[in-house]
Each structure stands twice: as C-alpha cells, then as structure tokens.
Amino acid sequence: MTAANLPSYASGTSTTPLLGDTIGENLARTAARFADRTAVVECASGRRLRYAEFDAAVDGLSRGLVALGLQAGDRAGIWAPNGIDWMLVQYATARVGVILVTINPAYRSHELGYVLAQSGVAVLFSAVTHKGSDYRAMVDEVAGDCPDLKHVVYLGESSWDEVVAAGQAVPIEIVRGIAAGLDPDDPINIQYTSGTTGFPKGATLTHHNILNNGYFVGELCHYTERDVVCVPVPFYHCFGMVMGNLASTTHGACLVIPAPGFDPADTLRAVQQERCTSLYGVPTMFIAELSLPDFADYDLSSLRTGIMAGSPCPTEVMKRVVADMGMTEVTICYGMTETSPVSTQTRIGDTLEQQTGTVGRVHPHVQVKVIDPATGRIVPRGTTGELCTRAYSVMRGYWQQPDKTAEVLVNGWMHTGDLAVMDAEGYLSIVGRSKDMVIRGGENVYPREVEEFLYQHADIEDVQVVGVPDERYGEELLAAIRVRAGSQLSEQDVRDFCRGRLAHFKVPRYVQFVDEYPMTVTGKVQKYRIRDAAVQRLGL
C-alpha cells in the first residue's frame, strides 16, 4: 500500500506494561529504592529533600488532611506558584484519595470563586501573595459564595504548620489503611482547561491516567535515577505536575524548581548550578532563554534531553535549542489536559526534520486517528483532518458537566479540535486549531505554515499569525511580529520577503510589530486576544 492508501491511524504498541498502582504507592516504592538520592531542589530557598525525607513529609501532610476531616473523594484545591510545598500537597492528597483541584495562579477572584464552587473544594491551600497579587484578599472576597469551603491553609504561614501538627495525632496506620483501599481508577485530579470563552471546564483525571502518562513521558526521555530535571513550567498544569513531577518520581530522578514563576535567567542558573540533564519549556520560554544578553556565559554542558511542548515549536528555535543548548536528545510532546496530557512524542534518535517538523509518533498504549470533521471518517495519510485520541490517558470527563463531556468524547475517542497530518511513517504534524484555520477567498490557510516561513527571516524573533475579518475575502491574515534587538524591519520588508515564495493568499495583508504577546500562565499565546485587539485597532 502507498502512503496515500494507508489510513491516518496508529496504535502505540509497547513491551513495557502500564503501571497498575496509585500515585501514593508508586512514590513509596521509589522512596524505598532511592531513599538517599535527592528528590527535589527548590532553588529560591535552597531547600533540598532526599526521597526518604520527601516521602516522610508527604506522610505527615497526609495525616494532617485526615485530621481536617477529609475523606477519599473530597476535593482540596491548590492555588500557588511552584515550590516544594506544592508538590507535598500533590502527593499527600493522592496518598489518601483526596481529589486535587489545581488552580491557575493567574486566576483572579471571579475565576477562583467559580472553580472553588463548581468543584466543591473543602480545603484550599493558597499562596499569600505572588507577583504583587494579594491572594488572601481574593480568598476572603469569594469564600462566602463557596459553601463547601471549610478551611484555608496558607503556604509558609502558621496555618500550614497547624495542619501538620494536627496530623501527629493521626496514627500512620490510618493513612496506610486509606491508601490500601484506593483504586488506580479513582479520580485524583481536576484540572480546569483555559477556555477562550465562558468559564473553564474541569477535566477529571485518575491515578491511572496521570501516573502512567508521566511514567511514559520519562521513559521516552530515557530517564533514570541519575537524571536531574529542571521544571520552570507551572505545576498547576499537566506539563509541570505530570510530565515534570510524576515523570521524575516514577524514575527516581531529581526535580529542580528554578523559581516560583518562570524567569529565563533563574532557569539557566539552576541548570548550571544543579547540573541538570533535562530542561522543560514552551517555545516562548526557550526563546527568552536564548535571547538573554549573557546566554553564552551559562554552562549548560550537563543538558542531554528535555521537552518542548504547549504550543507548536518553531523550527528555527528548535535548531538553536539543539545546537546552542546542547539538548541533542530533546523531545517534542503533544497533547491536551483532557488526555493527561501527552498523546504523541518524538523519540531520541529521530532526524532533525522529525524533531522540528512534527510532534512525533503515537505514545505507548495510545491510539490516534485523523478524521474528516464533517463525516467522522478516517482520512488517508498526508491529508489534513481533526486529531482524535483513545487510551488509558483519556479523562473521566468534565467535572459535573456530562453535556460538555459528550461534545468531545465519542466512543472513547477524545476529539482534540486540532488539525493534523499523519505521514507515511506515522509522524504527526499539527497544522492549526480547527477554529484557527483562516479561510481567505475560499482558500484554507493554516497560520502555522506562514509562521514557520516567517521564522526564517533573520530579523524576526517570534511571530504569530491570525485571521481578521475582511469584507471582500471573508478573512485576511495579520502577522504580529517581535523583531530581534537592534533590527530595523518594516511592513514592506515582511511582504517583500513573502512575495514570490508564498502563495499570494498566504501573504499577510496586515503586519504589526509588538514587544510581547498576551499569554496564558503556561506560556501559550492567546491568539484570540491578538485577533480581538487587531479588529478593534484596525476598525474591522
């Protein structure tokens, strides 16, 4: 069969079985094997815990949760930037079956109140302040509208110490008994997906979902107990807490927290000081690190691997990560919160073209297919369609929203809303969001293709392409460009660069030079906000 005759379907076969334990059991097993190895380093405070110490601290907080009256299936929220205490809450709740509701640190009172009430959070672990925001004031503002909220514990304050102290009256045997009664298929995490309209939805994930996804992400990065993983991406999101924390603890690796929030210099300093072998980030984070004036002064020679994910990875950026940061075994991951998150990943040893031009092949124990959104039928390889995933990793559903769940979960298949192409070897390329696709005068234009082309211009550091309304063609393209420091680039220069090399309907009609993009806290560019601002500014 030729590639054109093959269906866009792939199944991830593996001789490595899925893990059948809970997160708490898995951590205890790792701690027993690697008791004296460093589990986690918090660079901001200098705090370091060995696996035996980390596991004991998890036990102590677990006893405190029981002392507060929490039972398996109850919800505890965490609203804070990255730190060791965040991880202790993650593993302690899992150990006693309490469902952890991870809350975006960028949320404000309106969103916080919605999440606490919608998920029925009984105990909230909160930062006191972060980036100038008064978390306590916002908690006080919404607490009266959250009838299930019984306790608020502030990280770094006496309320935290009081919970741990209260737990000392709870025999450890009680925690062991609760842990033994848990099932890997129990829900253990609710992650609210950042919606562009309306309120976010709570993807409900199990031990089995996220423990295995973290494990296999680490397997494909070839992690062992000798790896040191630098995680500057936020823990509240799957990228941090699953691909970072769980990938590390399932392999006995050391996890390094460079700072509470992302800072490019702090990140590279942590890599240098802790001799990190792996570094995570979304493309904008790597761009920020590579753009530091003193980038060449950092010793990054320990780096071997890492993960770039969260949004499409520009080819030119990936080439610099490999060449200038020494991350020759870097992998690209693709997924979504609803799939725990990773469904595809490039492999160590893949060609540079596969590393830079695709999001890899299907993950172990996962199925993917590319379908015609109109008919639901699988399209031939080489044809664009919507990517769908079915696996152990697919969420239970959206918390208490069966109608929203039914919109995206059909016969076990999660419909991603992403447009993809599968090649003859099963590698997938994401060409855009189905809603991001621009239709100009009847021609389908995928912004990713235009962005990749513009990245080749020596003066362009970053670019985002969106569609804006047009009376004649329906839509036109707008390119929002960040230029390299010291560069002089005009709108006409950009159009001249495109002409003769791109089809006329792919040449941006509008060019806008910007200093920064509107972002989510995970570093994803919010294209809808670029589009909305442009519509208003241009009077479209």
Side-chain angles (χ1 to χ4, degrees):
M1 294 178 75
T2 66
N5 293 327
L6 285 172
S8 294
Y9 170 87
S11 175
T13 57
S14 177
T15 56
T16 305
L18 289 165
L19 302 175
D21 46 7
T22 63
I23 290 169
E25 289 169 337
N26 188 269
L27 175 64
R29 187 174 296 113
T30 297
R33 287 182 64 201
F34 304 114
D36 290 327
R37 296 196 72 92
T38 304
V40 59
V41 176
E42 186 180 83
C43 294
S45 65
R47 192 175 170 198
R48 315 169 77 88
L49 293 178
R50 295 177 295 116
Y51 265 101
E53 295 168 327
F54 183 74
D55 191 54
V58 167
D59 269 345
L61 185 56
S62 299
R63 294 162 73 186
L65 295 174
V66 174
L68 286 176
L70 288 175
Q71 298 180 3
D74 288 344
R75 274 77 65 205
I78 183 159
W79 187 40
N82 290 8
I84 286 179
D85 288 345
W86 203 109
M87 292 181 66
L88 293 176
V89 173
Q90 177 184 350
Y91 287 85
T93 50
R95 182 153 282 173
V96 291
V98 172
I99 300 172
L100 182 65
V101 180
T102 50
I103 305 170
N104 185 332
Y107 277 2
R108 292 300 169 257
S109 55
H110 182 59
E111 299 139 318
L112 173 68
Y114 172 80
V115 165
L116 294 178
Q118 203 273 334
S119 60
V121 164
V123 177
L124 174 64
F125 290 88
S126 174
V128 179
T129 60
H130 179 55
K131 291 185 176 178
S133 296
D134 187 341
Y135 280 41
R136 196 195 310 270
M138 287 186 274
V139 171
D140 290 345
E141 183 182 337
V142 303
D145 297 320
C146 303
D148 297 303
L149 185 62
K150 302 295 189 296
H151 306 278
V152 181
V153 180
Y154 288 101
L155 276 57
E157 288 202 343
S158 58
S159 54
W160 172 279
D161 299 328
E162 289 163 6
V163 170
V164 175
Q168 293 176 2
V170 176
I172 190 62
E173 289 75 22
I174 290 180
V175 169
R176 297 279 182 268
I178 295 169
L182 301 179
D183 190 293
D185 290 324
D186 290 338
I188 203 62
N189 180 211
I190 299 174
Q191 298 214 11
Y192 281 84
T193 61
S194 50
T196 55
T197 57
F199 280 108
K201 302 180 291 289
T204 306
L205 305 169
T206 67
H207 294 269
H208 194 65
N209 286 153
I210 60 177
L211 180 68
N212 277 288
N213 204 255
Y215 174 67
F216 280 99
V217 165
E219 285 289 284
L220 295 189
C221 289
H222 295 183
Y223 283 167
T224 72
E225 70 276 11
R226 291 180 294 279
D227 277 292
V228 182
V229 186
C230 183
V231 181
V233 297
F235 287 169
Y236 94 87
H237 186 266
C238 271
F239 199 170
M241 70 170 285
V242 178
M243 298 159 67
N245 300 353
L246 287 168
S248 297
T249 59
T250 52
H251 290 86
C254 171
L255 186 127
V256 173
I257 307 169
F262 174 67
D263 178 272
D266 286 342
T267 300
L268 296 189
R269 195 177 302 113
V271 170
Q272 176 176 286
Q273 290 177 354
E274 299 299 329
R275 305 299 294 158
C276 296
T277 60
S278 177
L279 174 61
Y280 287 12
V282 298
T284 50
M285 290 180 174
F286 284 101
I287 290 169
E289 290 153 10
L290 290 162
S291 300
L292 287 171
D294 60 347
F295 170 79
D297 296 340
Y298 291 96
D299 179 2
L300 309 179
S301 59
S302 59
L303 285 175
R304 167 183 71 81
T305 185
I307 295 172
M308 202 190 292
S311 60
C313 306
T315 301
E316 296 307 313
V317 175
M318 187 64 162
K319 287 177 179 175
R320 284 201 65 197
V321 166
V322 172
D324 299 346
M325 300 180 86
M327 293 169 60
T328 55
E329 298 183 357
V330 66
T331 68
I332 287 184
C333 290
Y334 163 82
M336 60 194 307
T337 304
E338 292 89 339
T339 56
S340 297
V342 177
S343 296
T344 72
Q345 189 170 351
T346 56
R347 306 304 203 260
I348 291 173
D350 280 351
T351 66
L352 185 62
E353 184 180 358
Q354 289 164 336
Q355 276 187 318
T356 59
T358 79
V359 291
R361 291 181 282 131
V362 65
H363 234 235
H365 304 286
V366 173
Q367 301 173 70
V368 293
K369 66 179 179 178
V370 181
I371 64 167
D372 180 334
T375 65
R377 300 297 295 270
I378 297 175
V379 299
R381 296 198 181 188
T383 305
T384 298
E386 184 188 10
L387 181 60
C388 301
T389 298
R390 183 167 65 184
Y392 72 86
S393 53
V394 173
M395 66 172 180
R396 279 280 195 89
Y398 295 122
W399 183 260
Q400 295 186 339
Q401 290 186 297
D403 54 332
K404 297 292 185 186
T405 303
E407 291 174 8
V408 297
L409 207 49
V410 183
N411 295 329
W413 287 98
M414 181 70 203
H415 288 247
T416 67
D418 286 323
L419 296 168
V421 178
M422 184 183 290
D423 70 12
E425 295 179 87
Y427 284 81
L428 283 152
S429 300
I430 304 298
V431 295
R433 291 286 294 170
S434 52
K435 62 186 176 188
D436 283 345
M437 185 178 73
V438 178
I439 304 176
R440 183 197 180 277
E443 298 279 4
N444 290 352
V445 182
Y446 300 109
R448 173 78 192 279
E449 179 191 357
V450 182
E451 290 165 356
E452 288 287 3
F453 172 78
L454 289 172
Y455 271 116
Q456 297 173 36
H457 194 293
D459 292 334
I460 293 177
E461 183 169 275
D462 204 354
V463 57
Q464 300 293 327
V465 173
V466 298
V468 294
D470 183 76
E471 286 186 6
R472 182 176 180 187
Y473 293 106
E475 286 184 287
E476 278 281 13
L477 296 183
L478 176 139
I481 292 172
R482 285 176 50 204
V483 297
R484 296 195 187 283
S487 299
Q488 299 294 323
L489 193 67
S490 69
E491 294 184 27
Q492 193 56 47
D493 292 337
V494 174
R495 294 191 189 93
D496 290 345
F497 182 71
C498 295
R499 287 208 173 93
R501 303 173 69 196
L502 278 182
H504 71 91
F505 59 86
K506 297 178 185 176
V507 177
R509 177 174 176 186
Y510 304 102
V511 177
Q512 176 187 4
F513 296 106
V514 300
D515 295 324
E516 58 184 7
Y517 300 114
M519 306 278 245
T520 68
V521 74
T522 51
K524 289 185 182 180
V525 176
Q526 294 173 306
K527 285 195 167 186
Y528 74 97
R529 288 180 58 189
I530 296 175
R531 183 184 303 114
D532 292 349
V535 167
Q536 190 169 6
R537 183 173 52 83
L538 297 168
L540 301 175

